[in-house]
Amino acid sequence: MSLVILDFGSQFTRLIARRFRELNAFSVILPGNASLEEIRSHQPLGIVLSGGPASVYDTDAPTPADGVMELELPILGICYGMQYLVHEGGGKVERIGTREYGKAVLESYSGDLFAGVIGEFVAWMSHSDTPTSLPKGYFVSASTSDTPVTGIENSHLKRYGIQFHPEVVHTPKGARLLENFLAICNITRDWTPAHILENLIADVKAKVGTDKVLLAVSGGVDSSTLALLLSKAIGSQLTAVFVDHGLLRLNERDEVETALRPLGDENLITLDTKTEFFAALEGVSEPEAKRKVIGREFIRAFEREARRLAGSGYRWLAQGTLYPDVIESAGGTGAANIKSHHNVGGLPDDLAFSLLEPFRTLFKDEVREIAKLLGLPEEIRTRHPFPGPGLGIRVLGEVTPEKVDILQRVDNIFISSLREFGLYHEVAQALAVLTPVQSVGVMGDYRTYSYLVALRAVTSADFMTADWARLPQDFLEVVANRIVNLVPEVNRVVYDITSKPPATIEWE
């Protein structure tokens, strides 16, 4: 049983899913025009219509598939979704010249969706259209000074609409509305880490059967957690392959092998493929091309190892792909391709395996909770995300062993300093970037012409959006001083203060 969210192109649709999951209710995102059959396959107890950039009166406005609105299920419309409820029911939606963007305070609110809410209600708005007349059976459940119809309700049909976004943190009491909708839907709130783990193990067993699985271990929390999960689910059918491609962080190979020791020596293989990777990356500087090369070389390494293993019969290639990876690689509804992740967008067309991606619908925080249940060491479980392509996409331009060596030392200084100053867990992700820019400097009595490195640290709840971390200036001064003194190839350090959007967290 689930809650189905129909995505009409809102930038906040993924947040809707996250908020419901935080309330321990399983939710799934489907395209706004998903077929009735597909929706029913998820056994929905309720439907959410997301926001979106369109106007309901446009000739090409997105709509649910035939039969969806005839389902006798509670429906919650958010922003565009509310406007669609009005339009579909025979009411009227217009652009009347008054827009609401940002913070607004409800002048009044009432009805089932607002049950138990008391005091001032601050809401986050982002709309220019508004209902001007309601369908039969609806009443106005909320209003602001600029928008008389901010909320609507038809308790008989169990249909509810709100013009604002309850899923964002800027609507502090929005979670209570989502809780109320779950209660209206009679959804059991059992989406807990233990329940997720139980389902994942059962799904893997059912899908894999007696087949053998190769696991691509990158060294991050996702693939390390997946290694422990698969070991628990299928035991000796799993062979974890850790590829040391030369693009890892300083000393990372030793750390990963130690963390995955519970798999047993016979189920963990480390491949040293530095020579092959650097040869393949020679002369490649374009970011997407680098990701494709790295993804291809990963698979080639696994294929070579599968052939080497006597009587291999490996059918599955397992990866720690997460939901945000899928979204950014245009795997989500209406998503523009921002960049290919080697997990989902950098694989070769002639892949000789079937993909096994148990975490494909999970967010990072959900994987961390599963990792805790599986006993992954805390230093690995709480470690910042690290991209599958490794430092290959943090060395801007062509990747060489010499440049990676420089970046490893810079990265190590930055990360170890964050830990030393007690700031590591204050940020969601921190990284260093080696730029192709060289600048003039002076050290002692000598002129230098050395590299410029950029440091980046962000705060984020879900990695879909992120803000730059306000690290103390005295800390940044210490780190910059350490870098230029301990890494002679670098003479200039800058700090990235760009949010996501418009930037991405990684530079490539």
Side-chain angles (χ1 to χ4, degrees):
M1 300 294 183
S2 66
L3 189 70
V4 169
I5 302 167
L6 297 182
D7 181 14
F8 295 111
S10 170
Q11 61 179 315
F12 300 131
T13 302
R14 280 81 197 177
L15 286 180
I16 301 173
R18 279 188 54 81
R19 297 298 173 253
F20 280 120
R21 292 189 187 190
E22 288 168 0
L23 294 169
N24 302 127
F26 179 67
S27 58
V28 59
I29 298 173
L30 298 178
N33 62 353
S35 69
L36 182 61
E37 180 182 16
E38 183 177 7
I39 292 173
R40 280 179 168 161
S41 72
H42 292 278
Q43 300 179 285
L45 293 177
I47 293 177
V48 177
L49 308 178
S50 84
S55 295
V56 294
Y57 45 77
D58 291 343
T59 55
D60 58 349
T63 63
D66 291 342
V68 173
M69 299 305 291
E70 279 70 57
L71 292 172
E72 294 183 358
L73 295 173
I75 296 178
L76 171 62
I78 298 175
C79 200
Y80 176 86
M82 166 179 150
Q83 295 163 15
Y84 179 77
L85 286 177
V86 172
H87 183 72
E88 184 269 344
K92 193 171 185 179
V93 177
E94 297 180 278
R95 183 164 297 176
I96 58 176
T98 301
R99 299 182 177 185
E100 275 190 310
Y101 292 101
K103 177 182 175 181
V105 178
L106 301 188
E107 290 188 333
S108 63
Y109 55 83
S110 61
D112 296 343
L113 204 62
F114 289 90
V117 178
I118 59 175
E120 182 181 69
F121 194 103
V122 176
W124 189 259
M125 301 286 190
S126 180
H127 70 98
S128 55
D129 292 345
T130 189
T132 53
S133 67
L134 296 184
K136 183 180 179 180
Y138 284 86
F139 72 87
V140 177
S141 61
S143 64
T144 69
S145 57
D146 289 327
T147 305
V149 184
T150 300
I152 61 173
E153 178 176 324
N154 184 323
S155 55
H156 175 69
L157 295 177
K158 294 186 178 180
R159 294 188 176 182
Y160 310 86
I162 44 180
Q163 190 65 75
F164 55 89
H165 292 272
E167 68 273 19
V168 301
V169 295
H170 308 293
T171 303
K173 297 178 181 178
R176 182 55 188 267
L177 273 60
L178 301 181
E179 282 188 279
N180 288 339
F181 186 65
L182 291 174
I184 292 167
C185 296
N186 289 318
I187 289 181
T188 302
R189 292 165 60 178
D190 60 356
W191 185 250
T192 61
H195 184 68
I196 296 171
L197 178 57
E198 180 184 342
N199 286 344
L200 288 174
I201 291 174
D203 288 345
V204 168
K205 287 181 175 179
K207 180 175 285 189
V208 172
T210 58
D211 295 334
K212 292 184 178 181
V213 178
L214 272 179
L215 167 63
V217 178
S218 68
V221 62
D222 307 323
S223 62
S224 297
T225 302
L226 184 54
L228 297 180
L229 169 73
L230 293 176
S231 179
K232 189 176 183 67
I234 59 175
S236 60
Q237 294 168 239
L238 168 70
T239 298
V241 179
F242 175 50
V243 177
D244 182 358
H245 45 47
L247 306 174
L248 301 171
R249 288 168 285 202
L250 199 64
N251 302 320
E252 186 165 15
R253 175 171 174 169
D254 292 339
E255 294 173 3
V256 172
E257 290 178 333
T258 299
L260 297 183
R261 196 161 287 151
L263 298 183
D265 292 340
E266 69 279 6
N267 296 111
L268 176 63
I269 298 172
T270 299
L271 303 179
D272 190 328
T273 59
K274 301 184 191 72
T275 301
E276 291 86 350
F277 269 78
F278 282 119
L281 286 167
E282 186 175 352
V284 181
S285 59
E286 199 276 323
E288 280 294 284
K290 284 199 291 187
R291 287 177 177 272
K292 296 289 186 182
V293 167
I294 293 170
R296 183 193 71 214
E297 290 303 310
F298 261 111
I299 300 306
R300 296 297 178 250
F302 300 139
E303 289 176 338
R304 287 194 299 271
E305 188 60 22
R307 287 193 297 268
R308 186 191 69 81
L309 295 169
S312 61
Y314 286 94
R315 175 186 172 189
W316 299 94
L317 171 65
Q319 297 191 124
T321 305
L322 298 188
Y323 201 12
D325 299 336
V326 175
I327 295 166
E328 287 203 336
S329 294
T333 303
N337 185 285
I338 299 170
K339 59 189 178 186
S340 295
H341 288 260
H342 90 280
N343 284 0
V344 288
L347 300 179
D349 294 333
D350 59 343
L351 183 65
F353 302 99
S354 296
L355 283 180
L356 180 65
E357 298 175 313
F359 297 160
R360 190 178 178 87
T361 61
L362 299 185
F363 291 95
K364 176 71 75 173
D365 58 320
E366 293 172 318
V367 172
R368 290 192 196 279
E369 290 303 312
I370 292 170
K372 187 174 184 179
L373 293 177
L374 290 169
L376 188 70
E378 195 69 9
E379 62 271 17
I380 301 292
R381 189 182 77 85
T382 60
R383 190 163 64 177
H384 292 171
F386 187 61
L391 297 181
I393 58 167
R394 292 181 181 174
V395 172
L396 304 191
E398 183 180 6
V399 181
T400 66
E402 294 75 23
K403 290 179 180 178
V404 171
D405 174 63
I406 294 170
L407 184 55
Q408 284 177 330
R409 286 177 280 145
V410 171
D411 174 81
N412 187 59
I413 291 170
F414 185 30
I415 299 303
S416 62
S417 297
L418 283 168
R419 293 186 184 279
E420 176 188 338
F421 280 71
L423 296 170
Y424 185 79
H425 294 298
E426 298 298 314
V427 300
Q429 187 170 352
L431 58 112
V433 176
L434 180 65
T435 79
V437 176
Q438 291 181 280
S439 65
V440 173
V442 59
M443 292 183 178
D445 296 325
Y446 296 95
R447 173 188 182 275
T448 61
Y449 188 63
S450 306
Y451 285 108
L452 178 153
V453 296
L455 306 181
R456 180 154 172 75
V458 299
T459 57
S460 179
D462 52 26
F463 295 94
M464 299 302 299
T465 61
D467 194 13
W468 63 278
R470 273 65 172 176
L471 295 177
Q473 291 186 15
D474 57 346
F475 167 78
L476 292 173
E477 180 181 4
V478 168
V479 171
N481 187 58
R482 288 176 176 176
I483 290 172
V484 296
N485 278 283
L486 296 175
V487 185
E489 297 92 340
V490 174
N491 69 357
R492 196 175 298 269
V493 180
V494 299
Y495 186 58
D496 183 348
I497 60 169
T498 318
S499 63
K500 173 189 179 180
T504 54
I505 295 176
E506 298 285 348
W507 277 36
E508 287 192 344

